[in-house]
Amino acid sequence: MEFDDAKSTSDDVEIGTSSIGKYREWFRSAVDGSSDWRDEAREDFDFVAGQQWSEADKEKFQESGRPAITINRIKPLINVLLGYQMLNRYDIDFLPRTSDDSDLCKVRKGVTKYIMDSCNYDDNESAAFLDSTIAGIGWFSVGYNFDMEIGDGEAHIVREDPFGMYPDPESHKPDFSDAKYICRAKWVDKDELKTVYPEHAEDIDMQCAVYDKAEKHDAADNDPLWYRKDLQKVRLVECWYKTREPQSFYFLTDGSTVPQSDIKVEMFLTGQVAGEKTVYVNKVKVCVLMDRVLLEDIDSPYQHGEFPFVPLVCHHFGHDDIPAGFVRDLKDPQREINRRRIQGLHILNTTVNVGGFIEEDAMSPDQFKDFKKNGA
């Protein structure tokens, strides 16, 4: 492993691959590019949960003797939308184009139904739908879980935590189909990471030692983007990215096209090859890193040439727009409802006992005191 020289000292680890600097910059750009959405999304989830007042507002209400009342009108609406989605699911179907396709469509439908049932797709779909409804975007991870012990595995479709997904901020399309890269990040225990990557155990320890040293001398030197001192956890980033690579194709005399990997010597000997052409095709790769430690950088295990992540977007109009769900437009009306109720109760409590008009000496001192207190 190599190190980036940017933070190296005589006592620190040295890091420096040309590619890892690019991957780190991609992730940092994705974090910065999605920061506004994350702030809004966290508040969206708080509003649904009934946490609709800031600490500053609560302190002001307490000082003035007013309760921080919350009348949550958002959560019931979200529950209705989720219930509607669960009661009106769509089944995936395959329709034949010709009479010869009928049997093939039945097989594909059966296989798809088996995969979706085995990975509990309905629950994952509802969870991603809820993320999209509240915060504007939910995510699925679509892939294959391979078991090395049995030499086989199963396809999976699972809901991903939207706060762990970091798409390319330069993407212009609402579904991120034009993204150059998509990162998935999560906080992991250092020992757990060393178990998965034992060949990098020493590098992981050295990198964490740099963080701990910076924490002791100057907390400002510690980058919270990669390390949580309070949790003793590091951030593991999985970056899926697209590259353009040349690929040769051969044209056969029957009009078909064959990639170089499928061409055979017999095709040349029998004169079936009519020509050759090199084109650039999209290829997906994935790298895994922990700050300055590049754990692996390999070709995608999937041959479809796409990212294994599928977004479920509610409202997103593309570049420079922040994804939003139904909650985003309900927060200001919700604030008004809460403030009106608080202000109404405050007025009622402070003006209800206004006393009245009586003739002078019409009451004794005790009667007047009681009337002043309970006159309303």
Side-chain angles (χ1 to χ4, degrees):
M1 187 201 72
E2 302 178 9
F3 287 86
D4 181 354
D5 302 335
K7 286 190 177 181
S8 63
T9 66
S10 58
D11 297 325
D12 293 339
V13 251
E14 290 186 8
I15 300 185
T17 6
S18 58
S19 59
I20 194 173
K22 176 180 65 177
Y23 303 145
R24 294 177 71 248
E25 184 58 33
W26 282 354
F27 179 61
R28 184 176 290 276
S29 297
V31 170
D32 293 340
S34 63
S35 60
D36 291 339
W37 172 80
R38 291 173 189 280
D39 292 339
E40 290 282 359
R42 289 189 180 95
E43 188 177 63
D44 293 340
F45 277 99
D46 286 342
F47 263 68
V48 174
Q51 301 173 11
Q52 300 175 0
W53 295 109
S54 66
E55 293 300 324
D57 286 334
K58 291 180 180 179
E59 291 178 2
K60 290 180 181 179
F61 292 143
Q62 187 174 8
E63 291 173 0
S64 61
R66 291 178 288 175
I69 297 175
T70 299
I71 303 174
N72 195 342
R73 299 288 177 81
I74 296 179
K75 186 175 182 179
L77 176 59
I78 297 301
N79 287 338
V80 169
L81 291 173
L82 181 60
Y84 183 85
Q85 183 270 334
M86 296 174 70
L87 293 173
N88 294 272
R89 299 186 190 275
Y90 289 96
D91 287 331
I92 294 178
D93 200 358
F94 293 86
L95 301 178
R97 290 189 174 183
T98 67
S99 58
D100 297 333
D101 294 336
S102 298
D103 292 338
L104 183 59
C105 287
K106 291 180 181 178
V107 172
R108 289 177 174 173
K109 182 178 180 179
V111 171
T112 303
K113 181 89 167 68
Y114 170 79
I115 292 174
M116 296 176 72
D117 289 343
S118 63
C119 66
N120 199 18
Y121 174 76
D122 286 350
D123 288 346
N124 282 283
E125 181 189 38
S126 295
F129 174 83
L130 188 62
D131 292 335
S132 176
T133 301
I134 295 175
I137 183 170
W139 288 89
F140 291 104
S141 172
V142 183
Y144 194 80
N145 292 325
F146 190 81
D147 191 334
M148 296 295 294
E149 294 183 0
I150 64 176
D152 199 356
E154 292 186 352
H156 70 263
I157 307 173
V158 297
R159 173 255 183 189
E160 283 288 337
D161 179 8
F163 291 105
M165 301 302 299
Y166 297 85
D168 179 6
E170 297 300 321
S171 174
H172 293 269
K173 294 185 178 181
D175 61 353
F176 307 106
S177 58
D178 60 338
K180 184 178 180 180
Y181 62 89
I182 295 180
C183 298
R184 175 171 58 182
K186 61 180 179 180
W187 293 102
V188 299
D189 183 77
K190 179 182 69 172
D191 294 331
E192 179 185 351
L193 188 61
K194 290 192 295 183
T195 302
V196 179
Y197 295 98
E199 68 276 17
H200 293 287
E202 183 178 353
D203 298 325
I204 293 170
D205 283 333
M206 293 174 67
Q207 183 62 62
C208 291
V210 172
Y211 286 129
D212 290 332
K213 181 179 179 181
E215 183 81 9
K216 292 177 182 178
H217 289 82
D218 186 359
D221 291 338
N222 184 46
D223 189 352
L225 183 68
W226 297 100
Y227 186 68
R228 290 287 302 272
K229 176 67 175 178
D230 54 337
L231 300 177
Q232 286 291 301
K233 289 189 175 183
V234 297
R235 179 170 257 167
L236 182 68
V237 177
E238 188 180 299
C239 181
W240 297 75
Y241 62 97
K242 293 179 179 178
T243 61
R244 298 279 290 175
E245 296 187 359
Q247 185 171 346
S248 296
F249 290 89
Y250 290 91
F251 300 98
L252 304 185
T253 53
D254 61 1
S256 60
T257 305
V258 179
Q260 186 178 19
S261 57
D262 295 339
I263 201 71
K264 298 179 181 178
V265 178
E266 293 79 6
M267 294 180 179
F268 288 99
L269 299 177
T270 57
Q272 297 182 50
V273 178
E276 178 186 0
K277 184 178 181 180
T278 299
V279 298
Y280 281 84
V281 297
N282 284 330
K283 189 173 183 180
V284 176
K285 294 187 175 183
V286 56
C287 71
V288 182
L289 64 149
M290 186 210 80
D291 195 0
R292 295 174 175 81
V293 182
L294 184 61
L295 301 171
E296 60 181 339
D297 191 0
I298 59 175
D299 291 338
S300 169
Y302 310 114
Q303 302 303 313
H304 47 60
E306 300 291 340
F307 297 128
F309 306 113
V310 179
L312 181 61
V313 181
C314 185
H315 299 300
H316 184 211
F317 303 104
H319 190 57
D320 291 334
D321 179 58
I322 300 177
F326 290 97
V327 176
R328 196 72 48 85
D329 292 333
L330 297 175
K331 289 192 293 188
D332 284 343
Q334 177 66 64
R335 290 186 178 102
E336 182 185 15
I337 291 171
N338 292 339
R339 289 186 180 276
R340 278 179 177 272
R341 181 59 60 91
I342 289 176
Q343 192 64 19
L345 287 176
H346 179 66
I347 294 174
L348 184 64
N349 290 332
T350 54
T351 61
V352 67
N353 197 25
V354 295
F357 295 96
I358 59 174
E359 294 182 3
E360 188 176 359
D361 298 329
M363 294 183 178
S364 67
D366 290 339
Q367 290 175 325
F368 180 77
K369 184 178 180 180
D370 181 69
F371 176 77
K372 186 176 181 181
K373 180 179 180 181
N374 304 306

